[in-house]
């Protein structure tokens, strides 16, 4: 008898559903790991000309579909400063570059401390928090370590974090439930604009391009 395996939905919406199931089950490490990869997949579909620039397309997608909707109204404590000690406004207190830097260290090093020496984020740590009820605890706080980080010359920038101040590094606390909700809304907006980008073409044509096949018998 011929047996056909079931396909595990690996489309963008399938991955979002899996993220939400993991969060509902309390598997927050898994849910966050999956959530941080969503801008990779969406960004590659939307900006194929940036296929060699993963960080750029990731940040561009996140800024367009998530940050400018849910991370613009900065918490009262948020105050960023440039190398000369002057206020430096940001369009969003948590933007695509911040999220990409977190994604890199969280997925590849299992930590939440971005490499500030690269000059891509002002945050020394980005921590998610979970409460019994609706937390909405997003919070930015300047650290007092006195640490100084210089952007490497190859970046093309001439910036030193911490110059002229005790410290210009920051800690960012984010509500993890809000983050999952924001990612869900961002993907919904993205697919409303580009409904054909839920799946890549090869997944539609060939079952062997599905990452997971389910051969278990259905009772």
């Amino acid at each position: 008898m011929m047996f056909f395996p079931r396909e595990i939905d690996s489309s963008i919406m399938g991955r979002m559903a899996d993220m939400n199931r993991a969060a509902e089950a309390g598997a927050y490490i898994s849910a966050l790991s999956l959530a941080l990869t969503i801008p990779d997949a969406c960004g590659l579909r939307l900006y194929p000309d940036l296929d060699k620039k993963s960080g750029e397309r990731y940040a561009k997608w996140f800024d367009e579909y998530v940050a400018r909707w849910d991370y613009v109204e900065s918490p009262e404590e948020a105050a960023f400063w440039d190398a000369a000690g002057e206020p430096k406004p940001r369009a969003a207190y948590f933007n695509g570059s911040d999220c990409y830097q977190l994604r890199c260290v969280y997925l590849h090093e299992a930590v939440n401390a971005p490499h500030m020496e690269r000059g891509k984020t002002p945050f020394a740590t980005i921590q998610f928090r979970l409460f019994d009820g609706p937390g909405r605890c997003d919070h930015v706080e300047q650290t007092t370590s006195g640490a100084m980080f210089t952007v490497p010359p190859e970046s093309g920038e001439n910036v030193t974090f911490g110059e002229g101040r005790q410290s210009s590094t920051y800690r960012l606390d984010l509500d993890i439930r809000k983050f999952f909700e924001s990612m869900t809304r961002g993907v919904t907006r993205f697919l409303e604009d580009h409904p054909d980008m839920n799946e890549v073409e090869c997944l539609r044509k060939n079952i062997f391009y599905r990452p997971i096949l389910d051969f278990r018998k259905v009772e």
Side-chain angles (χ1 to χ4, degrees):
M1 181 178 68
M2 184 71 69
F3 178 76
F4 292 96
R6 293 182 301 281
E7 301 175 10
I8 300 297
D9 187 359
S10 57
S11 68
I12 298 296
M13 288 306 296
R15 291 167 188 267
M16 293 304 299
D18 219 49
M19 177 200 78
N20 287 314
R21 282 193 294 269
E24 290 167 4
Y28 295 105
I29 296 294
S30 299
L32 184 57
S33 298
L34 185 50
L36 289 172
T37 68
I38 295 300
D40 279 305
C42 295
L44 182 59
R45 288 161 169 75
L46 189 58
Y47 310 113
D49 55 319
L50 297 177
D51 64 324
K52 303 296 184 182
K53 300 179 179 179
S54 60
E56 185 176 342
R57 68 175 185 249
Y58 186 109
K60 191 174 181 179
W61 184 90
F62 188 89
D63 285 340
E64 175 66 22
Y65 287 100
V66 180
R68 77 184 186 93
W69 297 89
D70 290 324
Y71 292 101
V72 173
E73 186 176 347
S74 185
E76 183 179 348
E77 300 84 356
F80 298 93
W81 306 85
D82 63 17
E86 297 296 325
K88 183 179 181 181
R90 282 164 54 107
Y93 62 92
F94 180 55
N95 64 25
S97 181
D98 302 324
C99 195
Y100 182 72
Q101 296 305 310
L102 173 64
R103 164 257 196 212
C104 291
V105 295
Y106 183 86
L107 296 180
H108 299 297
E109 301 175 31
V111 298
N112 65 318
H115 292 287
M116 288 191 58
E117 69 275 9
R118 296 174 182 170
K120 302 296 185 181
T121 179
F123 300 119
T125 60
I126 300 175
Q127 185 176 70
F128 289 94
R129 298 190 173 188
L130 180 67
F131 295 90
D132 289 328
R136 297 298 184 269
C137 65
D138 292 359
H139 174 80
V140 178
E141 185 172 329
Q142 188 173 8
T143 64
T144 57
S145 64
M148 183 179 292
F149 299 91
T150 302
V151 178
E154 58 266 27
S155 70
E157 301 179 48
N158 184 20
V159 178
T160 300
F161 292 108
E163 183 178 356
R165 299 177 62 83
Q166 181 181 20
S167 172
S168 56
T169 63
Y170 299 86
R171 187 187 79 240
L172 175 63
D173 304 326
L174 296 174
D175 186 312
I176 196 167
R177 287 195 179 103
K178 174 185 174 181
F179 181 69
F180 294 146
E181 292 168 2
S182 297
M183 288 297 299
T184 300
R185 288 192 293 268
V187 166
T188 299
R189 294 184 194 103
F190 168 65
L191 292 178
E192 286 175 350
D193 289 347
H194 307 279
D196 58 322
M197 293 187 179
N198 187 42
E199 281 191 318
V200 295
E201 189 64 23
C202 67
L203 294 182
R204 300 189 190 105
K205 290 183 175 180
N206 195 323
I207 193 174
F208 293 106
Y209 283 95
R210 297 283 181 178
I212 304 173
L213 294 178
D214 186 355
F215 286 86
R216 296 174 299 175
K217 292 183 179 180
V218 178
E219 298 296 336

